[in-house]
Amino acid sequence: MAHILIAEDEEGIARVIERGLRKEGYRTTVVGDGLAALETVTAGGIDLVILDVGMPKRDGFTVLRMLRTMEEPVPIIMVTARDSVEDTVAGLEDGADDYLAKPFRVEELLARVRVRLR
């Protein structure tokens, strides 16, 4: 089964996402800051990243740009409270495969994960 990185600094949200993914049979790793997210993805073995925008050490937009500059092919779903059209467009243009505004239903996130892993 696919291994999914959850890069989310809010523990409660990370737990909810992790629980939903594990229930579907996915393996998960949770990190709480942007540097840890970069290190985890570049170490290999990650099939998809769920990336929060507002994280310490490196924000999600910076992590996204760095991963795409390194030509990391892993699909990335951005999750954020920033729901403006400008932020959505910026995320997608910087290389995100999908962009989901908080609050969201876990069922919708799971559907997006399945689509990206096809």
Side-chain angles (χ1 to χ4, degrees), residues 24-77:
E24 295 290 313
Y26 297 108
R27 290 185 306 128
T28 60
T29 297
V30 177
V31 298
D33 67 71
L35 283 179
L38 282 168
E39 291 170 359
T40 304
V41 174
T42 57
I46 299 296
D47 299 301
L48 183 137
V49 178
I50 296 172
L51 181 63
D52 181 29
V53 170
M55 290 188 298
K57 299 189 182 175
R58 295 281 190 284
D59 70 27
F61 287 124
T62 301
V63 172
L64 172 65
R65 285 189 299 272
M66 291 177 78
L67 289 173
R68 293 311 187 220
T69 300
M70 292 184 236
E71 299 183 13
E72 287 292 337
V74 64
I76 298 173
I77 300 173

Side-chain angles (χ1 to χ4, degrees), residues 3 5 9 13 16-18 22-23 28 31 38 49 56 59 64 69 74 77 85-86 91 102 105 113:
H3 187 183
L5 173 64
D9 65 322
I13 293 172
V16 168
I17 294 170
E18 183 177 36
R22 287 190 174 202
K23 185 176 176 186
T28 60
V31 298
L38 282 168
V49 178
D59 70 27
L64 172 65
T69 300
V74 64
I77 300 173
V85 172
E86 294 81 15
K102 296 177 186 176
R105 294 188 180 269
V113 166

Side-chain angles (χ1 to χ4, degrees), residues 99-101 103-114:
Y99 195 99
L100 186 59
F104 55 83
R105 294 188 180 269
V106 173
E107 297 83 8
E108 181 179 0
L109 176 61
L110 292 171
R112 291 170 187 251
V113 166
R114 287 189 296 272

